[in-house]
Amino acid sequence: MALSWLSLIILFISSASPVCAQKFDFPRLSLHHEKVFQDPDRRVQVSLISHFKTFFFHQTLDHFNYRPESYTTFKQRYLISSKYWGGANSSAPIFVYLGGEEPIDNDVNVVGFLNENAAQFKALVIYIEHRYYGKSIPLGMSFEEALKDPNARGYFSSSQALADYAAIIRHVKEKRKAKDCPVIVVGGSYAGMLASWFRLKYPHLALGALASSAPILYFDGITPQGGFFSVVTKDFKEASKTCYQTIRDSWAEIDRVASQPDGLSRLSKIFKTCRPLESGDELKNYLIDEYVRAAQYDVPPTYPVEVICGGIDGANASKNGILEKIFAGVVAISGNSSCYIVSPNGTTPSQTQLGWRWQRCSEMVMGDEGITNNSMFQPDPFNMSNFIDHCNRSYGVVPRPHWITTYYGGHDTKQVLRRFGSNIIFSNGLRDPYSSGGVLKNISDTIVAFPTRKGSHCLDILSASQDDPSWLVRQRKKEIEVIKGWITKYYADLLALKQ
């Protein structure tokens, strides 16, 4: 039986829910996987982040209305490092990281691009936390309370977040008398979309934007359905055609075994599950999750896709055949363990998981990740009607599939942005499934694309490592050169205006 698409994106928190609706938090736009965050080689050096100071800005709850409650304020967290800043008198630049769907601490620890280049630019560095994540939760509520309150979660949107960033940037510039200091905004994944949109919506505040792995074309049918999983499939097929074929054939075998009287017990033993499986879909969800994450975060020098395929191709299959090969891939990527496939039941979802579900239902209606026939997975097209019904039942809101393209644009991107946009870098690793919804070609001389064949999700803005391949080092240098060009032209224009 093919998986329900909804089971891939929604966690049904009812104990009465059928097992076929197991949690599978997909798609996930977080800029780094937990393993990347835990990798000491991918963390920003302590010397680069120890000098950050934490501030809280009294942020306006509702930037777009004038009801009495709109003027309520909450404390929004942001961090500043002035270690390398050349100061306002020299109009030294300001690098601003726009936080995404997670606490800002994670970004400070793994996004090294700003800190590692601050010295050569003599830049002030700011990281701003997205409202409703981390410690930036309005109305004195906990995160969970805010999401359960229909009125409170109504202020949880990308447009409010962008206005937050604008207010804080203005505040910092005014406080430091940095009126002429150019601002470069940076973001990865969802935050990469925010960075590009910020440049378009607030060009008077941001001179330019680096949008890493930003799938801004994943809305309103711009990108054909199936692109996401076709990239995952391409990654595995390039790594090993036999591995790809084994995975492709495994779904029918899992269904066949699961349908037998003792099939679930047998699957549980083969995959050494931490508790007995209650459906074949539970196992398939887990495997899809592993394959998707391996492709999305296919980070050198380990390259998780190759690790999984090495396990699958190197397995000595006996009576269980193809399933033993698949399990060998699980062991290869997860390491030796007493058991595998930990059930989500009873675990506490993260802020990212909870918050992104709301954002998906309210405005981030990315319907292009459905599974079509051109992949190694069982077909499971996205069903907008079912998605809308679920969101209405869960939150009492009906998603607006056309809102993102109405508010930010997206259709005819090249024609539209060429006329009025400028100073945006779109970087995409082509091993990242989200690259299928990214800008992969230059739009103009100042809106440029840097697609990298071996790149993965947000790899260019993560902390540099001594193991980084030469192509990644070159990519970062090109991005820096583009940003230098923006700032150089800004200084020339500023000088001309003052004369």
Side-chain angles (χ1 to χ4, degrees), residues 163-209:
D164 290 343
Y165 301 143
I168 290 177
I169 290 171
R170 283 198 56 167
H171 168 74
V172 172
K173 293 189 75 171
E174 289 173 0
K175 187 175 181 181
R176 295 176 179 256
K177 297 179 173 58
K179 174 179 176 294
D180 293 331
C181 295
V183 172
I184 305 296
V185 294
V186 180
S189 200
Y190 164 56
M193 293 194 288
L194 294 178
S196 66
W197 293 335
F198 190 88
R199 167 61 185 165
L200 297 175
K201 289 291 187 182
Y202 298 91
H204 54 292
L205 292 178
L207 172 66

Side-chain angles (χ1 to χ4, degrees), residues 154-375:
Y155 303 106
F156 188 177
S157 70
S158 62
S159 57
Q160 296 280 8
L162 291 184
D164 290 343
Y165 301 143
I168 290 177
I169 290 171
R170 283 198 56 167
H171 168 74
V172 172
K173 293 189 75 171
E174 289 173 0
K175 187 175 181 181
R176 295 176 179 256
K177 297 179 173 58
K179 174 179 176 294
D180 293 331
C181 295
V183 172
I184 305 296
V185 294
V186 180
S189 200
Y190 164 56
M193 293 194 288
L194 294 178
S196 66
W197 293 335
F198 190 88
R199 167 61 185 165
L200 297 175
K201 289 291 187 182
Y202 298 91
H204 54 292
L205 292 178
L207 172 66
L210 168 55
S212 177
S213 298
I216 63 168
L217 305 181
Y218 251 166
F219 300 94
D220 207 7
I222 299 173
T223 301
Q225 190 172 158
F228 186 99
F229 281 97
S230 68
V231 174
V232 177
T233 299
K234 174 187 68 69
D235 292 348
F236 277 85
K237 197 170 186 177
E238 288 179 350
S240 166
K241 289 184 179 179
T242 56
C243 171
Y244 149 81
Q245 193 62 49
T246 299
I247 294 172
R248 187 183 178 107
D249 295 340
S250 68
W251 311 115
E253 180 64 6
I254 291 172
D255 288 339
R256 185 189 70 80
V257 174
S259 66
Q260 296 174 348
D262 63 341
L264 292 178
S265 175
R266 182 182 166 197
L267 288 175
S268 299
K269 290 179 181 178
I270 294 171
F271 286 88
K272 295 184 179 179
T273 60
C274 296
R275 63 164 182 78
L277 292 169
E278 297 180 40
S279 77
D281 283 353
E282 182 182 1
L283 174 60
K284 290 193 289 186
N285 280 345
Y286 173 85
L287 293 172
I288 295 171
D289 188 17
E290 288 295 315
Y291 302 147
V292 165
R293 287 172 184 266
Q296 186 172 343
Y297 304 102
D298 204 28
V299 179
T302 56
Y303 291 115
V305 170
E306 294 182 2
V307 171
I308 291 176
C309 282
I312 290 175
D313 289 342
N316 292 318
S318 57
K319 63 180 181 180
N320 293 315
I322 192 172
L323 297 182
E324 282 195 356
K325 287 179 174 288
I326 295 297
F327 177 61
V330 172
V331 174
I333 195 64
S334 303
N336 291 320
S337 178
S338 59
C339 67
Y340 301 87
I341 311 181
V342 179
S343 169
N345 295 334
T347 61
T348 302
S350 67
Q351 282 191 351
T352 295
Q353 292 166 337
L354 293 173
W356 191 242
R357 289 173 200 152
W358 159 251
Q359 291 190 265
R360 287 271 307 188
C361 276
S362 58
E363 59 176 350
M364 296 293 161
V365 186
M366 303 169 70
D368 300 310
E369 303 96 346
I371 307 176
T372 55
N373 290 321
N374 62 335
S375 80

Side-chain angles (χ1 to χ4, degrees), residues 443-454:
I443 291 177
S444 68
D445 291 340
T446 60
I447 301 182
V448 296
F450 287 134
T452 50
R453 187 173 65 84
K454 293 185 178 181

